[in-house]
Amino acid sequence: MATIDFNAEVEKRKDALMEDLFTLLRINSAEDKAHADAENPFGPGPRKALDAFLAIAQRDGYDTKNYDNYAGHFVYENGAANDAETLAIIGHLDVVPAGSGWDSDPFNPEIRNGNLYARGASDDKGPTMACYYGLKILKELDVKLSKKIRFIVGTNEETGWADMDYYFEHCELALPEFGFSPDAEFPIINGEKGNITEYLHFSGKNDGEVLLQSFTAGLAENMVPESATAVIVGAKGLTEQLDSFIEEYQDKGLRYDLVEDGATATITLYGKAAHGAMPEKGVNGATYLAHFLDRYNFNGGAAAFLRVASERLLEDHEGKKLGVAYVDDLMGNTSMNAGVWSFDASNGGTIALNFRFPQGNSPERMQTILQAIEGVEQVTLSAHVHTPHYVPMEDPLVSTLIHVYEKHTGLKGYETIIGGGTFGRLLKRGVAYGAMFEGEPDSMHQANEMKPVENLFKAAVIYAEAIYELAK
C-alpha cells in the first residue's frame, strides 16, 4: 500500500484522542482496598477505568473481553493467519494515589501552557491512549497485518500486579512472546532490575522518657513518602527544636506542622514525593522525621524503629548503610525506597523497603543482612518478586523500535536499564517503549503530574509506525 503519513493521521484524530483520554483521567483509579470486593477486586475506581476503556474499544469495533474486572483485552488480526505470531501491547489504567500539593484537581484534567495536568497523564493513561490511537489508525486505514495484535490493559500495576497474575491464569489464549508496554520512556527500556519489598518489623515496647504513640507515612511502596506524622508524649521545646532542624536541612525544603495538647504532640514533617524507582529525586519525609525524633530519649521498639531509620535510611538510596548495596556492570546499582511506615505502641512497627536490584543481588541475600541489624526483630518479603529482565539490543523487536524512534526524533537511540518495573517484563521478549521523551520533566508519582500535549501526539505517531513495522 502507499506510504502512510502517520503525522497527518494523528493530526486528524487529536481531538478524539484527547476526549477519550479525558474520560479515563476523570476516574480516580487508585487502588481502594477498603471498598474492594468480588466485583471490584482493587476497588471501584480501577474497575470503572477498565469499563471505560473497554467501552471505547467496543465503540471502535473491537471484540473486547473483561477478565472479572482484573484486566481486559481485545485482539486485532486484520489478515493474520490463525497460527500467526501475536504482538502484545500492555498498558495499565490504575494510578498511584493523588497525594497533596496539587495546583488543580488531579482528577479534573486541565491543559495549562501546553501541558496536560492530571493523575495518570504520564503514568499510564496518557501513553496507553496514545498507543491505542496508534493501533486505531491502522484499523481505520484497513492495513493488512501478518501478526495479530493483542492489546491488554491492567488495573493493579502500581500496587502488586495481581491483575496480570489473574489475567494470565485465566486467559484462554497463549501468552505472547514479544511486545512492549507504553509505560516508561523513549528511546527504549530493554532492561529492568528485579523488584522486591522487604519489611523490617520492630516490637511495640515503648517505656522511655518520651513515648512514641504512633508514626505513619507513605501512600504506596513505590512512592517516596512526601510527609510523615508522629504522635509523641513527653517531649519539651519542640517548636525551638523543629525550627533548628528545618534550618539545618534548609536545602531539602522541609516544613512542619505541630499541634500540642498538654504533653501530647502531633508532628507532621513534609518533604517531596517521587517515584520509588528514583528515590534520590524525592525528599523522604519519614526518614527526616525519624532523624529528628531520634534525638529524644525513646526506649525499646520505638527507639530501634527511629534509630534504624535515622542511622541507616536517611539520605541513603542504595542500601549502603544497611549493608545490602550491590552493583552489577550491566545493570548498575541496587536502589532502595523506604516507602510505607507504621508504628503504634500496641502492635509495634514496620518499615517497607522497596528494592530495585540488578542481576547478582537477590532478595534472600538482602533479607539475611537485614535480619542481623540490631533492633530489627524480623524481616519478611513481599509475596511478589520480579527477577531482573533484559532483552539485547540486537533483538529485532528492540532494533525495530529504536529505528522508528530515531526516524521521528532525529536522535540516536540507545539501550536503557531501569529500576522501575513495567509490564514489558511479563513477556519473554518484552520491553517498555515511551512515552516520556528525552528532556521531558518526569512528574510520575508526584504532585502536578503532567504530560506535554504535543508529546502525547508525537508518541501516538511513533506508536502507530512501530506497530505497523512490527506487524505489517
Side-chain angles (χ1 to χ4, degrees):
M1 64 180 296
T3 303
I4 304 171
D5 184 342
F6 288 106
N7 284 288
E9 295 300 332
V10 169
E11 184 71 31
K12 297 174 189 174
R13 297 166 175 83
K14 283 183 174 181
D15 290 345
L17 192 163
M18 294 303 289
E19 185 176 341
D20 285 339
L21 176 55
F22 272 48
T23 296
L24 295 180
L25 292 173
R26 290 189 181 106
I27 301 169
N28 180 350
S29 54
E31 183 179 44
D32 182 3
K33 291 182 179 178
H35 298 96
D37 55 33
E39 290 298 310
N40 304 277
F42 310 112
R47 188 260 176 90
K48 288 178 185 174
L50 179 61
D51 287 343
F53 179 87
L54 294 180
I56 289 169
Q58 288 166 357
R59 176 203 68 196
D60 292 338
Y62 296 108
D63 184 12
T64 66
K65 184 157 185 180
N66 181 336
Y67 288 84
D68 298 324
N69 298 321
Y70 282 79
H73 80 206
F74 62 82
V75 178
Y76 181 61
E77 45 184 310
N78 192 18
N82 285 335
D83 60 350
E85 269 191 300
T86 296
L87 166 68
I89 299 168
I90 316 179
H92 70 90
L93 304 171
D94 59 310
V95 295
V96 295
S100 60
W102 286 75
D103 297 330
S104 56
D105 183 342
F107 299 106
N108 183 21
E110 288 186 12
I111 296 176
R112 305 194 299 271
N113 300 318
N115 297 319
L116 171 61
Y117 289 86
R119 177 59 90 217
S122 183
D123 181 17
D124 181 40
K125 292 175 182 176
T128 295
M129 189 52 64
C131 195
Y132 175 84
Y133 266 76
L135 178 58
K136 181 177 166 75
I137 288 169
L138 299 183
K139 183 178 187 295
E140 292 180 349
L141 295 179
D142 195 28
V143 176
K144 298 298 186 247
L145 304 176
S146 65
K147 295 182 177 66
K148 300 176 183 179
I149 312 290
R150 197 191 316 176
F151 204 113
I152 308 166
V153 287
T155 59
N156 184 232
E157 193 271 351
E158 297 291 3
T159 51
W161 294 29
D163 53 346
M164 289 296 106
D165 290 343
Y166 190 91
Y167 173 78
F168 288 122
E169 182 181 346
H170 293 84
C171 182
E172 66 284 359
L173 304 175
L175 174 65
E177 283 211 348
F178 82 117
F180 66 89
S181 177
D183 185 25
E185 58 198 66
F186 291 118
I188 203 164
I189 304 296
N190 59 314
E192 297 183 14
K193 296 177 184 178
N195 189 331
I196 185 73
T197 298
E198 309 215 358
Y199 304 94
L200 308 186
H201 301 282
F202 301 84
S203 81
K205 187 182 177 186
N206 195 9
D207 57 0
E209 179 184 324
V210 181
L211 303 180
L212 181 62
Q213 298 289 72
S214 66
F215 188 111
T216 56
L219 297 171
E221 292 170 3
N222 60 352
M223 291 177 72
V224 175
E226 176 195 25
S227 65
T229 298
V231 179
I232 62 175
V233 178
K236 298 176 181 177
L238 279 168
T239 299
E240 228 176 81
Q241 294 281 342
L242 280 164
D243 287 342
S244 174
F245 184 78
I246 295 296
E247 177 66 23
E248 181 182 354
Y249 291 99
Q250 58 182 316
D251 62 315
K252 302 299 180 182
L254 298 171
R255 60 186 178 87
Y256 74 88
D257 292 331
L258 171 64
V259 177
E260 293 183 281
D261 182 8
T264 301
T266 302
I267 307 167
T268 300
L269 191 69
Y270 299 89
K272 178 187 174 186
H275 196 302
M278 293 160 282
E280 69 281 359
K281 292 188 176 183
V283 177
N284 192 317
T287 59
Y288 282 93
L289 180 55
H291 186 49
F292 170 76
L293 293 176
D294 192 40
R295 67 185 62 194
Y296 292 97
N297 187 21
F298 292 91
N299 198 6
F305 179 87
L306 296 171
R307 184 180 65 250
V308 169
S310 174
E311 296 179 358
R312 307 265 193 156
L313 301 181
L314 182 74
E315 297 180 349
D316 185 355
H317 309 300
E318 299 180 16
K320 291 179 180 177
K321 296 176 187 175
L322 291 169
V324 299
Y326 187 95
V327 180
D328 172 71
D329 288 342
L330 173 68
M331 295 192 129
N333 68 324
T334 298
S335 71
M336 177 193 70
N337 177 53
V340 178
W341 304 56
S342 66
F343 184 95
D344 71 67
S346 301
N347 300 313
T350 301
I351 304 174
L353 302 180
N354 181 239
F355 291 99
R356 315 298 171 105
F357 61 95
Q359 55 192 11
N361 199 358
S362 72
E364 294 74 22
R365 169 187 172 269
M366 293 187 287
Q367 183 182 29
T368 299
I369 294 169
L370 294 172
Q371 295 235 171
I373 294 174
E374 183 181 357
V376 176
E377 286 207 334
Q378 185 184 14
V379 178
T380 57
L381 307 183
S382 56
H384 292 275
V385 56
H386 298 296
T387 56
H389 174 80
Y390 181 71
V391 184
M393 286 288 281
E394 56 270 19
D395 187 288
L397 169 70
V398 178
S399 59
T400 299
L401 294 176
I402 288 285
H403 169 73
V404 174
Y405 165 82
E406 291 177 339
K407 174 181 174 180
H408 286 282
T409 64
L411 300 172
K412 180 68 176 172
Y414 53 87
E415 77 171 356
T416 307
I417 296 167
I418 63 168
T422 76
F423 281 162
R425 73 188 307 143
L426 293 168
L427 308 172
K428 183 178 179 181
R429 295 169 51 227
V431 299
Y433 189 53
M436 190 171 76
F437 288 90
E438 293 181 76
E440 182 180 313
D442 181 3
S443 56
M444 298 183 195
H445 294 207
Q446 300 175 46
N448 297 312
E449 178 181 346
M450 68 85 172
K451 182 74 179 173
V453 174
E454 286 306 314
N455 282 4
L456 268 177
F457 298 144
K458 187 176 180 181
V461 172
I462 291 175
Y463 287 136
E465 184 151 352
I467 297 168
Y468 173 70
E469 289 295 331
L470 289 169
K472 65 182 179 182

